[in-house]
Amino acid sequence: MSPGSRRALLRSRWFTVSVGGTFALLVFSVFVGFVWLPSAQNDALFKGLWNAFCGAAGVPKGWLVPTAPPPPPSHPTSAVVLTPDLDNRAADGSVGRGGTLALKCTMCHGTRGVSSADIPSLAGEGAAAVFKQLKDFQAGIRISAVMRPLVMDLSDQDMRDLSAFYASLPAPASRDLASAPDIIAVGAPMRNIPPCGACHGAMTTKLGTPGLDAQPRAYLKAQLAAFAHGTRQNDISGQMRNVARNMTEAEMDAAADYYAGIRP
């Protein structure tokens, strides 16, 4: 380009407006991406201009020193640490001692762990699942005016023995997936709902998660509603609360009907 053409181009109003507009758009984008959006996050590590720049640039959070301790949780959380030995290791005599302790549970949970009322059956439940619920009742993480006084005086070993006893009883037969509704077999991935069967039976059972086969329908519906409304909060990482909140009423009915379908 000749010097004359270059000068003519610089004097062109359209060229000036185009370059100026592009530069202004660049400045605006930098402000939005590096300052405004990071600062809008409710995270102490992004507060302030410097932290906003560092966060937007991908500087590891470990390089930023928090200026305040993390806020305490809004509700008590379960202190139970689930390990495989809770399911697999029963001390000598634990089942027998648990059977003796379970005598005061028979009115609600049945003589052999099978309830005839709208109360969960415990026969064949994993020891870790029963132990966690007992600990959560005792700590007040799971609320029950009936269960809390019954577990207050139990020692840690008492609860392990009770868990071993109920785990030793015959579990109800699991249903196959052929008759399962979609919410059990495949969940609803677009709404972040995993298949119920992936944790609660039919497919597999997750450590510390109760199997739901043959549980009372009314009990299952009540627990789903409690998770959905946040009145039950002893699920790990809020997983069940997130699932239940995204379930429709029809899906809750379908899940309760399916698991209660083989109730004796």
Side-chain angles (χ1 to χ4, degrees):
M1 180 181 292
S2 65
S5 299
R6 190 178 299 113
R7 283 193 296 273
L9 177 63
L10 292 175
R11 285 197 296 269
S12 170
R13 197 180 97 189
W14 290 110
F15 175 78
T16 305
V17 169
S18 299
V19 172
T22 303
F23 182 74
L25 181 61
L26 175 65
V27 171
F28 178 73
S29 300
V30 169
F31 172 76
V32 171
F34 281 79
V35 179
W36 184 52
L37 288 179
S39 297
Q41 298 186 62
N42 188 24
D43 188 332
L45 293 177
F46 288 97
K47 298 299 182 187
L49 187 61
W50 176 246
N51 285 345
F53 269 110
C54 290
V59 175
K61 287 187 176 181
W63 295 5
L64 305 174
V65 180
T67 55
S74 58
H75 57 272
T77 55
S78 178
V80 178
V81 178
L82 295 171
T83 56
D85 72 301
L86 286 174
D87 256 350
N88 301 328
R89 191 179 65 188
D92 292 340
S94 195
V95 172
R97 288 193 296 271
T100 302
L101 290 168
L103 290 175
K104 64 179 181 180
C105 310
T106 57
M107 183 176 291
C108 295
H109 294 288
T111 54
R112 298 290 293 168
V114 178
S115 169
S116 57
D118 291 334
I119 293 171
S121 297
L122 301 180
E125 285 288 359
V130 177
F131 179 76
K132 179 182 186 305
Q133 300 310 311
L134 290 172
K135 292 285 285 185
D136 287 349
F137 278 127
Q138 188 178 62
I141 310 300
R142 186 174 175 184
I143 308 299
S144 170
V146 176
M147 284 299 298
R148 184 81 189 279
L150 292 172
V151 300
M152 282 306 295
D153 294 331
L154 294 179
S155 67
D156 192 80
Q157 187 60 51
D158 290 339
M159 288 184 273
R160 288 175 184 269
D161 294 342
L162 276 166
S163 305
F165 168 71
Y166 283 116
S168 73
L169 298 176
S174 296
R175 303 184 70 180
D176 59 42
L177 288 174
S179 60
D182 288 348
I183 195 66
I184 302 293
V186 297
M190 297 302 290
R191 286 179 282 129
N192 295 323
I193 302 176
C196 302
C199 294
H200 293 287
M203 292 181 184
T204 185
T205 301
K206 182 180 172 184
L207 178 66
T209 302
L212 301 182
D213 282 315
Q215 296 296 354
R217 186 185 189 284
Y219 171 76
L220 295 174
K221 276 297 300 281
Q223 298 311 305
L224 282 171
F227 279 126
H229 298 145
T231 53
R232 179 174 171 180
Q233 301 178 335
N234 74 318
D235 51 330
I236 297 173
S237 302
Q239 184 176 17
M240 272 307 303
R241 277 169 284 170
N242 291 330
V243 167
R245 274 196 292 265
N246 289 324
M247 290 177 73
T248 65
E249 192 69 23
E251 288 170 339
M252 291 185 182
D253 285 333
D257 289 340
Y258 173 78
Y259 281 117
I262 57 172
R263 187 165 168 73

